Amino acid sequence: MAEATVRKLIVEVINAKNLMPKDGQGTASAYAIVDFDGQRKRTKTKSRDLNPQWEEKLEFLILDKESMVSETLEVNLYNDKKTTGKRSTFLGKVKISGSTFVKLGEEVIVYYPLEKRSVFSQIKGELGLKVCYVDEVLPVTETAGDEKKEEKAEEKPPETVTETAGDEKKEEKEKAEEKPPATATETEAAGDEKKEETPNPVVTTENQKPKEETPVPAVSTVAEVVNPPIAETEKVKIKEKQFEVIQKRADLNVRDHELRSLSNDRSRSAYDLVDRMAFLYVRVVKAKRSAKPDEKASTLFSKLVIGSHSVRTKSENEGKDWDQVFAFDKEGLNSTSLEVSVWSENMENDQKTESSLGTVSFDLQEVPKRVPPDSPLAPQWYTLESEASPGNDVMIAVWIGTQADEAFQESWQSDSGGLIPETRAKVYLSPKLWYLRLTVIQTQDLQLGSGSEAKVRQPELYVKAQLGAQVFKTGRTALLSSANPTWNEDLVFVASEPFEPFLAITLEDVANSKSIGKTKIHVSSIERRIDDRTDVKSRWFNLCGSDETNSYTGRIHIRICLEGGYHVIDEAAHVTSDVRASAKQLTKPAIGLLEVGIRGATNLLPVKTKDGTRGTTDAYVVAKYGPKWVRTRTIVDRFNPRWNEQYTWDVYDPCTVLTIGVFDNGRFEKDVSKSHKDVRMGKIRVRLSTLDTNRVYVNSYSLIVLLPGGARRMGEIEIAVRFSCSSWLSLMQAYTSPVLPRMHYVRPFGPAQQDVLRQTAMKIVTARLARSEPALGHEVVQFMLDSDTHVWSMRRSKANWFRLIGCLSRATTVFRWLDGIRTWVHPPTTVLVHALLIAIVFCPYLILPTVFMYAFLILILRFRNRPRVPQNMDPRMSYVDMVSLDELDEEFDGFPTMRSLEMVRIRYDRVRALAGRAQCLIGDVAAQGERLEALFSWRDPRATGIFAVMCLVMSLMFYAVPFKGFVLLAGFYYMRHPRFRDDMPSISVNFFRRLPSFSDQIM
């Protein structure tokens, strides 16, 4: 028996909330019609209910697995009026992209707001759905070995299809007779209730199952089993595919655009942002001798010599291939000829001897060039020149290519020290993080024992929960006479995929920390939810003693879930690069593409010594955006390295920051006496919102690193950046949407809890990347994530203070200008202000239009002076050149401090902790003023452009709308009833929070 897989889409229509009344009596009789890939099914009708509950599962066949991500699932709600003989009316629709479909077992209830079909539709409410897919394995009878069955199968397919069609028609007639005639006459209307249209007649019923109802012929083909007939529209497809050969393909469960992004990381990218680097490629495949050796044990290896460069292949037994590729940086070659020699290794008297089998030479000026997408160069046999052992051959391919060559990534590289794993270019992915919320409600039926201590005192209990290295405790509570202590406290953990196996819950006594009972919960079995509208059911778990008998000691009542509606923050808020929620169902399509070309660095300073005599630097670059980290190859022993590597990222939000850091590689050295840690040499940040779309920025940035001895300039790095976006509408819409997912606003975390969760997420990401091969060191990850942002620093406090003073000083400029008007410093200006004052007094309705018009003109005049280069961290703004050594010693001192006096250390740490919070507060206040200033400075061209257009529209609007009417409407809107308020931030607040500040330029 052979097997074939068929993929099904399961759509569970749960319920709808707050539907628009459509029957003229304040209610609606709703039913849903679901369309997917030419298939249509409907649910039952729920009579007179604005909050209907269906909980019906509808199955659809996915005909093409590869194109599933590009398909769209559409659900339409209608008000059923067939009992009254009227036409059905439209209640709203929902469209879901196939890229958000998840596997069976990962689905959760998602409430989608109902969309309008036209501008005049009156729609409100939301629809709760569960959508997932499952791959089912179907047994298929193999007929390849039986010739007679093959002949019959070739002769009878038309009859088989005809019989199947006839059976289907009979079934459809029977079902049509059961349904009322009104269903077939329903039509759609457009616009309002009276003219809205109904969907097309539904052929399939609510409980129809294509696989069971369609009879399978005696001789079934694979195409008929995988694609069973569903309706009349599918029969033509089945006839066309009846004798097609189905090719099985591994299901990677990866979206197409993700595959394109990953493939663009290396050789398949266009490399249009970097310079093409010429490399001499030598592929040594194998060698053969003219005569077999007399020795019993003999191995062969090959040597490649170009001037002072000499490298050898691995040693292999005769008859085995080397198949190794060597890439020599053409700029570093000091010879015009390549010599390839083959050697034989023999063991004689426990000593290894080497003998040459011959040499072949190549003139580098005659080597052909190869540029992708040309096919790889085929290796050829070359005769080795040797007087002692003539007639030997070696198979080689030699060509000149670039870093875009497919063989470059896995080749031996002359500028990276060879085949050392720690010097290779790699792509890393941060683990997918979730918040795990544990609500401890109460305990019952506790068995505290009959000891004398339990009778004397009233025990205080608390619950301790542990997930991996994370341990949290509830508050203590006294045991009441009812023996049912209650907490109702939330404990929030950070969980990373793959999850820890268990969540351990322990009930302990405060006095002696003795365990009264414990239980374990499988993390993989915990329910997932994506918003607060999904109710998580609480559960009771039995508590067992810590002894070997595992005796029953009571039970505990808890509520636990994995929160998918949050974005787990693992980096500082002002340099965040990803704001997507953990749940895949909430991920929106990418709005653009970020391409970064890491070109090279110049004038790097030595950070270590080589051979104990001279300084050297082995530099590499790390770029981080979203969950994707990239690391370039390490250029060994060069102060002006050229990487010329290009990488891409999908962009989901334009108000995010790209972080690029330069490090010296210390992990590939084999010296045991050294620490084997990478040394940081500086980093830069680029905010995407400050970039024009589809424009290439090529700039050099200074690398400045802060050390205990002061700030030090380590060199310069040259990068090229391009942010491309195909839809301006999606880009502008992002500025009006909330920065973080909805759960951060309806159920926010406190500042202290958020800081703890962020530090925990940083530790998880650091530990996971450190376990990669090759490892991305913890010192690298912490430097890129700014893990020390909330640590006390006198220098940062000064920088934030002067940022605040700078914003306040701009307000004093207005008062100075008014004082200059009053004192007639510039008489023409004073005369104009007198005229303006007269106009305002006699025409007060011109105040707001004039203000917005002046603002619009000022923005247009400042457009010429807008920043043309993406700004980097500013050393002067960071006050790295004005900090004293004592302040630097305090900043680089460990936490807690290592001072000798115990009391001094305690007070010192307390002051640092309080000052760190004040430092962040000052920075947040300063950021608000800087965002306001950013409206007029064109730092974010799109945001300022939106504001300029808004000023123009407001100016024209206030010419038409009376000022008194505006004041009245504004006052009523401000004092509106809470029922008409939304729990999400307004468009203006979202727009203001997305404006750039100077927080990302503070070191």
Side-chain angles (χ1 to χ4, degrees), residues 435 472 492 494 569-573 749-763 786-791 895 913 916-917 920:
Y435 284 138
F472 292 101
V492 183
V494 178
I569 302 174
D570 60 345
E571 51 192 345
F749 296 113
Q753 186 181 21
Q754 192 172 9
D755 186 50
V756 172
L757 294 175
R758 187 179 71 91
Q759 294 294 335
T760 303
M762 282 185 178
K763 293 178 181 178
D786 289 330
S787 60
D788 59 346
T789 302
H790 296 275
V791 179
F895 194 86
R917 294 184 178 274
C920 297

mmCIF file of all heavy atoms in Angstrom, residues 435 472 492 494 569-573 749-763 786-791 895 913 916-917 920:
data_model
loop_
_atom_site.group_PDB
_atom_site.id
_atom_site.type_symbol
_atom_site.label_atom_id
_atom_site.label_comp_id
_atom_site.label_asym_id
_atom_site.label_seq_id
_atom_site.Cartn_x
_atom_site.Cartn_y
_atom_site.Cartn_z
ATOM 1 N N TYR A 435 4.793 35.005 26.885
ATOM 2 C CA TYR A 435 4.515 35.239 28.294
ATOM 3 C C TYR A 435 3.622 34.124 28.799
ATOM 4 O O TYR A 435 2.606 33.788 28.176
ATOM 5 C CB TYR A 435 3.823 36.586 28.509
ATOM 6 C CG TYR A 435 4.741 37.771 28.394
ATOM 7 C CD1 TYR A 435 4.334 38.923 27.721
ATOM 8 C CD2 TYR A 435 6.011 37.764 28.955
ATOM 9 C CE1 TYR A 435 5.167 40.022 27.608
ATOM 10 C CE2 TYR A 435 6.857 38.856 28.841
ATOM 11 C CZ TYR A 435 6.423 39.976 28.170
ATOM 12 O OH TYR A 435 7.257 41.051 28.051
ATOM 13 N N PHE A 472 9.160 32.543 40.918
ATOM 14 C CA PHE A 472 8.340 33.631 41.435
ATOM 15 C C PHE A 472 7.464 33.092 42.559
ATOM 16 O O PHE A 472 7.081 31.913 42.562
ATOM 17 C CB PHE A 472 7.460 34.242 40.337
ATOM 18 C CG PHE A 472 8.237 34.977 39.282
ATOM 19 C CD1 PHE A 472 8.490 34.389 38.051
ATOM 20 C CD2 PHE A 472 8.728 36.248 39.525
ATOM 21 C CE1 PHE A 472 9.203 35.057 37.083
ATOM 22 C CE2 PHE A 472 9.445 36.922 38.553
ATOM 23 C CZ PHE A 472 9.689 36.330 37.336
ATOM 24 N N VAL A 492 3.874 35.969 36.184
ATOM 25 C CA VAL A 492 4.144 35.988 34.750
ATOM 26 C C VAL A 492 5.570 35.554 34.505
ATOM 27 O O VAL A 492 6.515 36.095 35.108
ATOM 28 C CB VAL A 492 3.901 37.387 34.157
ATOM 29 C CG1 VAL A 492 4.125 37.367 32.652
ATOM 30 C CG2 VAL A 492 2.478 37.854 34.461
ATOM 31 N N VAL A 494 8.536 34.188 31.362
ATOM 32 C CA VAL A 494 8.926 34.254 29.951
ATOM 33 C C VAL A 494 9.269 32.839 29.516
ATOM 34 O O VAL A 494 10.201 32.228 30.056
ATOM 35 C CB VAL A 494 10.120 35.199 29.720
ATOM 36 C CG1 VAL A 494 10.508 35.201 28.245
ATOM 37 C CG2 VAL A 494 9.770 36.605 30.178
ATOM 38 N N ILE A 569 9.185 41.800 25.122
ATOM 39 C CA ILE A 569 10.229 42.809 24.938
ATOM 40 C C ILE A 569 11.553 42.237 25.433
ATOM 41 O O ILE A 569 11.685 41.876 26.602
ATOM 42 C CB ILE A 569 9.871 44.092 25.695
ATOM 43 C CG1 ILE A 569 8.516 44.628 25.217
ATOM 44 C CG2 ILE A 569 10.941 45.146 25.524
ATOM 45 C CD1 ILE A 569 8.002 45.807 25.995
ATOM 46 N N ASP A 570 12.518 42.149 24.528
ATOM 47 C CA ASP A 570 13.836 41.638 24.883
ATOM 48 C C ASP A 570 14.940 42.636 24.576
ATOM 49 O O ASP A 570 16.118 42.261 24.562
ATOM 50 C CB ASP A 570 14.111 40.314 24.153
ATOM 51 C CG ASP A 570 14.082 40.475 22.649
ATOM 52 O OD1 ASP A 570 13.586 41.513 22.180
ATOM 53 O OD2 ASP A 570 14.548 39.565 21.941
ATOM 54 N N GLU A 571 14.591 43.888 24.320
ATOM 55 C CA GLU A 571 15.572 44.929 24.069
ATOM 56 C C GLU A 571 15.022 46.248 24.584
ATOM 57 O O GLU A 571 13.836 46.351 24.897
ATOM 58 C CB GLU A 571 15.912 45.023 22.581
ATOM 59 C CG GLU A 571 14.709 45.120 21.671
ATOM 60 C CD GLU A 571 15.072 44.909 20.215
ATOM 61 O OE1 GLU A 571 16.257 44.958 19.881
ATOM 62 O OE2 GLU A 571 14.155 44.704 19.403
ATOM 63 N N ALA A 572 15.871 47.243 24.681
ATOM 64 C CA ALA A 572 15.438 48.534 25.194
ATOM 65 C C ALA A 572 14.337 49.113 24.321
ATOM 66 O O ALA A 572 14.331 48.954 23.095
ATOM 67 C CB ALA A 572 16.620 49.493 25.277
ATOM 68 N N ALA A 573 13.381 49.825 24.955
ATOM 69 C CA ALA A 573 12.205 50.298 24.230
ATOM 70 C C ALA A 573 12.569 51.310 23.148
ATOM 71 O O ALA A 573 11.945 51.338 22.090
ATOM 72 C CB ALA A 573 11.211 50.918 25.216
ATOM 73 N N PHE A 749 1.535 45.729 31.885
ATOM 74 C CA PHE A 749 2.386 45.368 33.008
ATOM 75 C C PHE A 749 2.912 46.644 33.663
ATOM 76 O O PHE A 749 3.102 47.674 33.000
ATOM 77 C CB PHE A 749 3.577 44.514 32.557
ATOM 78 C CG PHE A 749 3.180 43.183 31.985
ATOM 79 C CD1 PHE A 749 3.385 42.895 30.650
ATOM 80 C CD2 PHE A 749 2.601 42.208 32.782
ATOM 81 C CE1 PHE A 749 3.022 41.675 30.112
ATOM 82 C CE2 PHE A 749 2.230 40.978 32.259
ATOM 83 C CZ PHE A 749 2.440 40.710 30.930
ATOM 84 N N GLY A 750 3.173 46.563 34.958
ATOM 85 C CA GLY A 750 3.763 47.688 35.656
ATOM 86 C C GLY A 750 5.214 47.895 35.257
ATOM 87 O O GLY A 750 5.866 46.995 34.717
ATOM 88 N N PRO A 751 5.766 49.086 35.521
ATOM 89 C CA PRO A 751 7.166 49.357 35.133
ATOM 90 C C PRO A 751 8.152 48.386 35.750
ATOM 91 O O PRO A 751 9.076 47.914 35.072
ATOM 92 C CB PRO A 751 7.395 50.798 35.615
ATOM 93 C CG PRO A 751 6.023 51.392 35.710
ATOM 94 C CD PRO A 751 5.121 50.277 36.101
ATOM 95 N N ALA A 752 7.990 48.080 37.039
ATOM 96 C CA ALA A 752 8.927 47.168 37.692
ATOM 97 C C ALA A 752 8.823 45.758 37.122
ATOM 98 O O ALA A 752 9.836 45.099 36.848
ATOM 99 C CB ALA A 752 8.672 47.150 39.200
ATOM 100 N N GLN A 753 7.581 45.277 36.914
ATOM 101 C CA GLN A 753 7.393 43.935 36.358
ATOM 102 C C GLN A 753 7.889 43.864 34.926
ATOM 103 O O GLN A 753 8.492 42.866 34.510
ATOM 104 C CB GLN A 753 5.923 43.549 36.429
ATOM 105 C CG GLN A 753 5.628 42.110 35.999
ATOM 106 C CD GLN A 753 4.158 41.776 36.065
ATOM 107 O OE1 GLN A 753 3.317 42.673 36.057
ATOM 108 N NE2 GLN A 753 3.831 40.499 36.148
ATOM 109 N N GLN A 754 7.674 44.914 34.162
ATOM 110 C CA GLN A 754 8.130 44.931 32.772
ATOM 111 C C GLN A 754 9.652 44.891 32.699
ATOM 112 O O GLN A 754 10.221 44.245 31.821
ATOM 113 C CB GLN A 754 7.595 46.176 32.078
ATOM 114 C CG GLN A 754 7.769 46.164 30.568
ATOM 115 C CD GLN A 754 7.067 47.325 29.907
ATOM 116 O OE1 GLN A 754 6.590 48.235 30.579
ATOM 117 N NE2 GLN A 754 6.995 47.301 28.590
ATOM 118 N N ASP A 755 10.305 45.570 33.626
ATOM 119 C CA ASP A 755 11.770 45.553 33.638
ATOM 120 C C ASP A 755 12.296 44.171 33.979
ATOM 121 O O ASP A 755 13.276 43.701 33.385
ATOM 122 C CB ASP A 755 12.285 46.588 34.630
ATOM 123 C CG ASP A 755 13.789 46.728 34.590
ATOM 124 O OD1 ASP A 755 14.349 46.892 33.488
ATOM 125 O OD2 ASP A 755 14.425 46.653 35.658
ATOM 126 N N VAL A 756 11.647 43.498 34.927
ATOM 127 C CA VAL A 756 12.072 42.132 35.281
ATOM 128 C C VAL A 756 11.876 41.184 34.107
ATOM 129 O O VAL A 756 12.745 40.354 33.795
ATOM 130 C CB VAL A 756 11.295 41.646 36.524
ATOM 131 C CG1 VAL A 756 11.567 40.169 36.780
ATOM 132 C CG2 VAL A 756 11.670 42.469 37.750
ATOM 133 N N LEU A 757 10.734 41.288 33.423
ATOM 134 C CA LEU A 757 10.472 40.414 32.280
ATOM 135 C C LEU A 757 11.449 40.691 31.138
ATOM 136 O O LEU A 757 11.878 39.761 30.445
ATOM 137 C CB LEU A 757 9.038 40.601 31.797
ATOM 138 C CG LEU A 757 7.937 40.143 32.768
ATOM 139 C CD1 LEU A 757 6.569 40.502 32.226
ATOM 140 C CD2 LEU A 757 8.026 38.644 33.020
ATOM 141 N N ARG A 758 11.805 41.958 30.946
ATOM 142 C CA ARG A 758 12.744 42.286 29.874
ATOM 143 C C ARG A 758 14.131 41.713 30.171
ATOM 144 O O ARG A 758 14.789 41.159 29.278
ATOM 145 C CB ARG A 758 12.832 43.797 29.694
ATOM 146 C CG ARG A 758 13.660 44.227 28.489
ATOM 147 C CD ARG A 758 13.666 45.731 28.368
ATOM 148 N NE ARG A 758 14.451 46.339 29.416
ATOM 149 C CZ ARG A 758 15.754 46.620 29.311
ATOM 150 N NH1 ARG A 758 16.392 46.345 28.198
ATOM 151 N NH2 ARG A 758 16.408 47.180 30.296
ATOM 152 N N GLN A 759 14.560 41.833 31.419
ATOM 153 C CA GLN A 759 15.855 41.269 31.778
ATOM 154 C C GLN A 759 15.849 39.745 31.651
ATOM 155 O O GLN A 759 16.842 39.143 31.211
ATOM 156 C CB GLN A 759 16.218 41.674 33.220
ATOM 157 C CG GLN A 759 16.446 43.163 33.411
ATOM 158 C CD GLN A 759 17.664 43.668 32.674
ATOM 159 O OE1 GLN A 759 18.593 42.919 32.390
ATOM 160 N NE2 GLN A 759 17.672 44.957 32.352
ATOM 161 N N THR A 760 14.728 39.119 32.005
ATOM 162 C CA THR A 760 14.626 37.660 31.858
ATOM 163 C C THR A 760 14.668 37.256 30.393
ATOM 164 O O THR A 760 15.339 36.281 30.019
ATOM 165 C CB THR A 760 13.326 37.166 32.507
ATOM 166 O OG1 THR A 760 13.293 37.564 33.882
ATOM 167 C CG2 THR A 760 13.226 35.651 32.419
ATOM 168 N N ALA A 761 13.955 37.995 29.539
ATOM 169 C CA ALA A 761 13.975 37.685 28.107
ATOM 170 C C ALA A 761 15.368 37.869 27.528
ATOM 171 O O ALA A 761 15.806 37.076 26.683
ATOM 172 C CB ALA A 761 12.972 38.574 27.372
ATOM 173 N N MET A 762 16.093 38.891 27.974
ATOM 174 C CA MET A 762 17.468 39.084 27.511
ATOM 175 C C MET A 762 18.353 37.903 27.887
ATOM 176 O O MET A 762 19.169 37.436 27.080
ATOM 177 C CB MET A 762 18.043 40.366 28.112
ATOM 178 C CG MET A 762 17.587 41.648 27.450
ATOM 179 S SD MET A 762 18.447 43.066 28.149
ATOM 180 C CE MET A 762 17.762 44.387 27.164
ATOM 181 N N LYS A 763 18.196 37.410 29.100
ATOM 182 C CA LYS A 763 19.005 36.271 29.534
ATOM 183 C C LYS A 763 18.694 35.025 28.713
ATOM 184 O O LYS A 763 19.594 34.253 28.372
ATOM 185 C CB LYS A 763 18.768 36.005 31.022
ATOM 186 C CG LYS A 763 19.280 37.105 31.938
ATOM 187 C CD LYS A 763 18.976 36.790 33.394
ATOM 188 C CE LYS A 763 19.470 37.904 34.321
ATOM 189 N NZ LYS A 763 19.132 37.619 35.739
ATOM 190 N N ASP A 786 21.755 46.322 24.583
ATOM 191 C CA ASP A 786 21.813 47.401 25.584
ATOM 192 C C ASP A 786 21.262 46.920 26.922
ATOM 193 O O ASP A 786 20.328 47.504 27.494
ATOM 194 C CB ASP A 786 21.037 48.632 25.122
ATOM 195 C CG ASP A 786 21.736 49.347 23.978
ATOM 196 O OD1 ASP A 786 22.974 49.286 23.929
ATOM 197 O OD2 ASP A 786 21.055 49.939 23.136
ATOM 198 N N SER A 787 21.848 45.843 27.423
ATOM 199 C CA SER A 787 21.353 45.269 28.678
ATOM 200 C C SER A 787 21.613 46.151 29.885
ATOM 201 O O SER A 787 21.001 45.953 30.935
ATOM 202 C CB SER A 787 22.002 43.895 28.898
ATOM 203 O OG SER A 787 23.422 44.021 28.962
ATOM 204 N N ASP A 788 22.521 47.136 29.776
ATOM 205 C CA ASP A 788 22.845 47.999 30.911
ATOM 206 C C ASP A 788 22.160 49.353 30.832
ATOM 207 O O ASP A 788 22.618 50.324 31.442
ATOM 208 C CB ASP A 788 24.362 48.196 30.997
ATOM 209 C CG ASP A 788 24.933 48.816 29.715
ATOM 210 O OD1 ASP A 788 24.212 48.838 28.708
ATOM 211 O OD2 ASP A 788 26.090 49.259 29.745
ATOM 212 N N THR A 789 21.048 49.439 30.099
ATOM 213 C CA THR A 789 20.393 50.739 29.913
ATOM 214 C C THR A 789 19.879 51.306 31.225
ATOM 215 O O THR A 789 19.975 52.513 31.475
ATOM 216 C CB THR A 789 19.232 50.590 28.917
ATOM 217 O OG1 THR A 789 19.736 50.076 27.690
ATOM 218 C CG2 THR A 789 18.557 51.922 28.654
ATOM 219 N N HIS A 790 19.332 50.459 32.113
ATOM 220 C CA HIS A 790 18.703 50.936 33.336
ATOM 221 C C HIS A 790 19.674 50.958 34.517
ATOM 222 O O HIS A 790 19.237 51.179 35.652
ATOM 223 C CB HIS A 790 17.497 50.050 33.676
ATOM 224 C CG HIS A 790 16.413 50.123 32.640
ATOM 225 N ND1 HIS A 790 15.458 51.103 32.648
ATOM 226 C CD2 HIS A 790 16.151 49.364 31.549
ATOM 227 C CE1 HIS A 790 14.630 50.936 31.615
ATOM 228 N NE2 HIS A 790 15.036 49.880 30.948
ATOM 229 N N VAL A 791 20.947 50.744 34.278
ATOM 230 C CA VAL A 791 21.938 50.826 35.349
ATOM 231 C C VAL A 791 22.350 52.279 35.530
ATOM 232 O O VAL A 791 22.465 53.039 34.561
ATOM 233 C CB VAL A 791 23.155 49.935 35.022
ATOM 234 C CG1 VAL A 791 24.213 50.029 36.111
ATOM 235 C CG2 VAL A 791 22.703 48.487 34.844
ATOM 236 N N PHE A 895 27.533 45.802 39.841
ATOM 237 C CA PHE A 895 26.332 46.030 40.642
ATOM 238 C C PHE A 895 25.979 44.737 41.371
ATOM 239 O O PHE A 895 25.629 43.741 40.721
ATOM 240 C CB PHE A 895 25.177 46.469 39.745
ATOM 241 C CG PHE A 895 24.014 47.046 40.493
ATOM 242 C CD1 PHE A 895 24.009 48.379 40.823
ATOM 243 C CD2 PHE A 895 22.950 46.258 40.871
ATOM 244 C CE1 PHE A 895 22.940 48.919 41.511
ATOM 245 C CE2 PHE A 895 21.890 46.780 41.555
ATOM 246 C CZ PHE A 895 21.872 48.126 41.877
ATOM 247 N N ALA A 913 20.229 52.664 42.476
ATOM 248 C CA ALA A 913 18.950 52.125 42.014
ATOM 249 C C ALA A 913 17.906 53.231 41.856
ATOM 250 O O ALA A 913 17.180 53.280 40.860
ATOM 251 C CB ALA A 913 18.466 51.053 42.983
ATOM 252 N N GLY A 916 18.814 55.510 38.949
ATOM 253 C CA GLY A 916 18.572 54.892 37.647
ATOM 254 C C GLY A 916 17.143 55.092 37.180
ATOM 255 O O GLY A 916 16.887 55.340 35.997
ATOM 256 N N ARG A 917 16.176 55.010 38.107
ATOM 257 C CA ARG A 917 14.783 55.257 37.737
ATOM 258 C C ARG A 917 14.556 56.724 37.393
ATOM 259 O O ARG A 917 13.832 57.046 36.432
ATOM 260 C CB ARG A 917 13.865 54.846 38.884
ATOM 261 C CG ARG A 917 13.869 53.337 39.150
ATOM 262 C CD ARG A 917 12.860 52.983 40.229
ATOM 263 N NE ARG A 917 12.828 51.552 40.464
ATOM 264 C CZ ARG A 917 12.084 50.694 39.776
ATOM 265 N NH1 ARG A 917 11.315 51.154 38.810
ATOM 266 N NH2 ARG A 917 12.097 49.406 40.045
ATOM 267 N N CYS A 920 15.782 57.382 33.883
ATOM 268 C CA CYS A 920 14.844 56.966 32.837
ATOM 269 C C CYS A 920 13.660 57.926 32.742
ATOM 270 O O CYS A 920 13.170 58.205 31.648
ATOM 271 C CB CYS A 920 14.351 55.549 33.108
ATOM 272 S SG CYS A 920 15.655 54.298 33.057
#
